[in-house]
Amino acid sequence: MPCAFRRASSPKAASGNTLTSRERIQTAFQAIPGLDIDLARRRTATAIGAISLGLIAIVFAWMGDKAQEIFNEFQSQNPYVPLVLTPAVFVAIVWITNRWSPDARGSGIPQVMAAGRNLDLAYTKLLSMPTAIAKLLLTVAMLLVGGSVGREGPTVQVAAAIMIVCHRLFRVPMTAGVLIAGGAAGVAAAFNTPLAGVAFAIEELAAAFEQRVAVLVMGAVVISGLVSLGLSGDYIYFGVMRDTLSVSSVVVVAPVAGVFGGVLGGLFSRTLLAFARSGHGWFVSFRKHPVLLALVCGMIVAVVGVLSGGTTWGTGYEVTKQMVEGHQSAPAWFGPAKLLVTAATAVSGAPGGIFAPSLSVGAGVGQLLTYCFPDDPMGAVILLGMTGYFVGVVRAPLTAVIILMETTASRGMILPLFATAIIADAASKLVCREKLYHGLSRGFGLHSEPRAKQA
């Protein structure tokens, strides 16, 4: 009887097999009242992924800053060498990307959006760790030669790849919520802006933001933010901006900044979408010759960088911070010049984000507006210019307002920022109806090679 009872209660024993160590542990956990083993695995995978992302984001930020320092020092001693070096490296990076890691091209945010719509893409090279590593290294290489790229978009793609790896290790089913949480944590870690990470998930990454996804997003953002805060300290990305505007000034400046910035940002988005998807003969020809396009774009970045005295190299972070804090004003041509090199870098097809460069262009737009409103505080007007242009590019008003509020500690400007963002969103939509990241995401995953799905 005892033997018969054991055979009846253990199907694996009846077939001659024994329970594995993992199955014994899982059985023991399932015997604990009130414990949901699947939920515990899911939360553990998310926590480990968020911690890993926070650490990698810190290392990536350090590498990016160091790359810009090296390039700035090099070009100050050899001012004309970038005229040859930058186009040559642009060509090399685009060739390497297209040859070995095509899913690493561009920002990184469209890739995550594409996988969110089609979860099968999460098991392709689109969000694999080799692609993520290539993305980081190639973005740093772009900064080493003065490319106008940011690290926020790449951090989002890397964050999604890390989340996928952690969930595969814990054998947790992949969901769109996991990708949304990873992307949100990536934005939060890149800018040290946890609220902006949540807002970005709501506006851009999530088609339907459910309560369960909200908890997952906030958990990932908090954990990655704590890692960054603990290791890097509590820093304000663009410095502290204390200026405010009177109501009478807001009524005039906000609409101007919204329309001007929104139209310029919409034109930028329309240009990128045309190079990526337009069927016009010119754009088709460019796509057929990516190396030649990279050469032309690299030459534009190099020539403008040399002529501008180096102010347009890289992310533009230092120039923007000086302008926001009121320590230094940029020349009138800084905004248009930075817009040109950012567009050239983006259409080249090289890896790299556009968040930070777009904010830098927006600061240049705000600098132009200060000539129209000389009696208003320069820092406040520049901040509205940044809002107008950034919203015009990404069409995410809530994200833009929260990012700028958190990166400049300008809580007194929240209402003017919202007014500018709403107007800029409407103005940009008139110029480019399709959102930039949504449009770019349609080009990813079409030719991605599949990997084995998780067991």
Side-chain angles (χ1 to χ4, degrees), residues 241 243-246 249-262 324 359 362-367 369-370 373 376-392 400-401 404 408 410 412-421 424:
M241 204 287 296
D243 295 329
T244 57
L245 293 173
S246 64
S249 294
V250 171
V251 171
V252 177
V253 180
V256 174
V259 172
F260 187 39
V324 168
L359 290 170
V365 171
Q367 174 69 20
L369 294 178
T370 61
F373 306 102
D376 293 305
M378 183 180 73
V381 176
I382 287 175
L383 200 59
L384 294 188
M386 294 172 71
T387 304
Y389 180 78
F390 186 68
V391 171
V401 170
L404 286 167
T408 61
S410 54
M413 288 286 292
I414 187 168
L415 293 180
L417 291 176
F418 267 118
T420 303

Side-chain angles (χ1 to χ4, degrees), residues 337-399:
K338 187 63 177 173
L339 173 59
L340 177 60
V341 299
T342 301
T345 304
V347 302
S348 71
I354 61 173
F355 260 47
S358 294
L359 290 170
S360 184
V361 174
V365 171
Q367 174 69 20
L368 292 175
L369 294 178
T370 61
Y371 296 108
C372 302
F373 306 102
D375 297 330
D376 293 305
M378 183 180 73
V381 176
I382 287 175
L383 200 59
L384 294 188
M386 294 172 71
T387 304
Y389 180 78
F390 186 68
V391 171
V393 173
V394 301
R395 297 275 303 285
L398 180 62
T399 300

Side-chain angles (χ1 to χ4, degrees), residues 151-212:
R151 48 185 172 80
E152 303 74 32
T155 304
V156 169
Q157 187 174 4
V158 172
I162 291 173
M163 285 294 187
I164 290 172
V165 168
C166 290
H167 282 68
R168 285 172 61 87
L169 289 175
F170 284 86
R171 297 190 178 184
V172 178
M174 184 55 54
T175 65
V178 171
L179 301 178
I180 293 169
V187 170
F191 276 121
N192 192 32
T193 52
L195 292 178
V198 176
F200 186 70
I202 297 172
E203 285 193 297
E204 284 293 279
L205 298 179
F209 199 74
E210 301 175 355
Q211 182 179 5
R212 187 171 61 180

